[in-house]
Amino acid sequence: HVRQSKKEGTKRMFSFSGVLRDDAASHLFVHPIIFELFLLLYLTAALCIQTINIYKTNLHLLDYNLILFVLLLLSRRFAWCCFQELQKKVKFLGWNSRYWFVAVTVVGLLTWAIWRLIQNASLFNLLFLFYPLLLYLSLFGFTLDPRPYRDRFKPPLKFLQHISMAGRMRVDLYNYTHTTQGTTHDQRNTDNSILMDRNMNALLLPATPNEIRNEVDILISDLIVRLKQLMFNSLLCAYYVGFIPMLFAESYIYYDRWWSIELSFFIWANSFVIISSYLLPPSYCHLLHQCALHLGCWARCSTVNSAPQWSSDIKWPFDAVVEWNTEYFKGEGPQNVAVPCDSSQECFYLLFSSQLHIHSWLLAMQCIIVTFEIVVLMRVTYWYQILSVSVLLIFNYLIFHKLLYNRLMFSKLLKIPPS
């Protein structure tokens, strides 16, 4: 009975793991301009409080050319995003033309700011401004589009097509929630339910095991690139906002170096959470979750009397026992097409067997940051320290609210059964 109930629970999880979760993602989107604007405002505020920590009220000693350079560098993403949105409204340039237009404009402004810095700063300090460029080259190489997985993706492949069909449907959260609670059905709710059923059937269409494994390899490559972008951009924010102002401070300026380092750590942690919530949105976690359910996972089990040899062309059901390289494995997923002992596929399934893992980790990390900053705020005594932590807490409360909202709404929709 336990095994039968576990099988039924696994089948139930697999049966409605598509549309509802993607619909939840559609209502938890953050517009790129809003995200870039919020990130720019946060980094600008962090740069201001770091400057206050170093110079206090002696703002006449501040190097405004350095501040201009950092602000231009931090606003490059927001400028590119605004230009893309403008291009959608008024198509006056082609893709290559607008790309080079923004690139030349940003590089030109940064070059002008660097030329102003050369007149006052030392050559040793100027070299530190280009250190992140070496880190970028070591992570992504000589490319401005660090997504090599695109070269490996040759559509049409069945699996991503099935998932993308659900992504085309956007069901109104309020209407669908009230529909499942038994309230009045209007024509819009009826049409949404019919279309959801169609997309649900589309998600369950067959895909060959080789296609599923190929899609997993593509998504793993994409995930690795996103994680690299996450680490690089978060370190870039902390480097230019926290470290560079300390480096360019004159030797005769006294400031609390350890407090500035601690503030730089806060800037990195907050930037990490903000960028994570954007690079790993609910829709993306939904896609990885769907792949994980189709992929499955194998766990080593004790020796059995007899078991079929694992084959790469078979979709093995839940609890199936197979033999591979003189070892025995039992299927842990709704269906299992993964290669036994493949550590990357096993890690992929463990991470994304549930859509809530990423959101729960980000929420827990943000809770730790907020708690630590509150403790620091209770212990500091100087006015500039109180001001710094208070400004960071304002942004952290907004981040925490957004993450908590995503987590609660996502978990709520997961509990709603299909009508």
Side-chain angles (χ1 to χ4, degrees), residues 347-364:
C347 182
F348 180 83
Y349 180 81
L350 293 177
L351 285 176
F352 300 104
S353 58
S354 173
Q355 290 189 6
L356 300 177
H357 284 167
I358 299 297
H359 306 290
S360 300
W361 294 340
L362 290 178
L363 187 60

Side-chain angles (χ1 to χ4, degrees), residues 38-43 45-46 270 274 366 390-401:
F38 179 80
L39 181 61
L40 179 60
L41 291 176
Y42 165 73
L43 295 177
N270 293 332
I274 295 173
Q366 188 63 21
S390 300
V391 172
L392 290 180
L393 277 174
I394 292 175
F395 285 93
N396 281 325
Y397 289 147
L398 295 176
I399 301 170
F400 180 78
H401 172 266

Side-chain angles (χ1 to χ4, degrees), residues 67-87:
I67 300 299
L68 178 62
F69 172 81
V70 174
L71 289 178
L72 287 174
L73 186 67
L74 296 177
S75 61
R76 74 197 187 281
R77 292 166 56 99
F78 179 68
W80 171 248
C81 187
C82 291
F83 192 81
Q84 281 186 314
E85 293 297 323
L86 179 63
Q87 180 71 9

Side-chain angles (χ1 to χ4, degrees), residues 22 29 94 104 125 147 153 179 181 215 221 224 228 252 296 309 336 341 367 385:
D22 193 73
F29 278 143
V104 170
N125 288 343
R147 289 174 290 181
F153 179 67
T179 300
Q181 291 175 352
E215 300 295 347
S221 300
I224 292 174
K228 287 182 179 180
Y252 55 82
Q309 189 71 24
N336 301 276
C341 289
C367 286
Q385 295 176 341

Side-chain angles (χ1 to χ4, degrees), residues 59-189:
L59 297 181
H60 61 280
L61 301 176
L62 180 62
D63 189 350
Y64 291 97
N65 294 322
L66 177 64
I67 300 299
L68 178 62
F69 172 81
V70 174
L71 289 178
L72 287 174
L73 186 67
L74 296 177
S75 61
R76 74 197 187 281
R77 292 166 56 99
F78 179 68
W80 171 248
C81 187
C82 291
F83 192 81
Q84 281 186 314
E85 293 297 323
L86 179 63
Q87 180 71 9
K88 294 178 181 179
K89 305 296 182 181
V90 182
K91 297 185 180 297
F92 55 91
L93 289 175
W95 170 256
N96 293 329
S97 300
R98 67 180 182 181
Y99 184 83
W100 285 108
F101 175 78
V102 176
V104 170
T105 303
V106 173
V107 171
L109 292 174
L110 290 176
T111 304
W112 175 75
I114 292 173
W115 178 78
R116 296 288 300 271
L117 283 173
I118 292 176
Q119 299 176 359
N120 299 322
S122 64
L123 180 62
F124 178 77
N125 288 343
L126 291 175
L127 291 178
F128 277 91
L129 294 178
F130 302 98
Y131 176 75
L133 181 61
L134 300 178
L135 180 61
Y136 180 89
L137 294 177
S138 63
L139 290 176
F140 306 109
F142 293 90
T143 178
L144 296 177
D145 187 16
R147 289 174 290 181
Y149 66 95
R150 282 187 170 183
D151 298 335
R152 301 170 52 191
F153 179 67
K154 298 179 180 179
L157 294 177
K158 290 182 180 179
F159 184 65
L160 281 184
Q161 287 180 340
H162 304 335
I163 295 179
S164 63
M165 290 181 69
R168 299 190 190 109
M169 267 305 301
R170 304 299 183 205
V171 182
D172 183 77
L173 176 64
Y174 178 84
N175 288 335
Y176 181 71
T177 303
H178 284 70
T179 300
T180 55
Q181 291 175 352
T183 57
T184 306
H185 289 64
D186 56 10
Q187 184 63 33
R188 181 180 179 182
N189 291 334

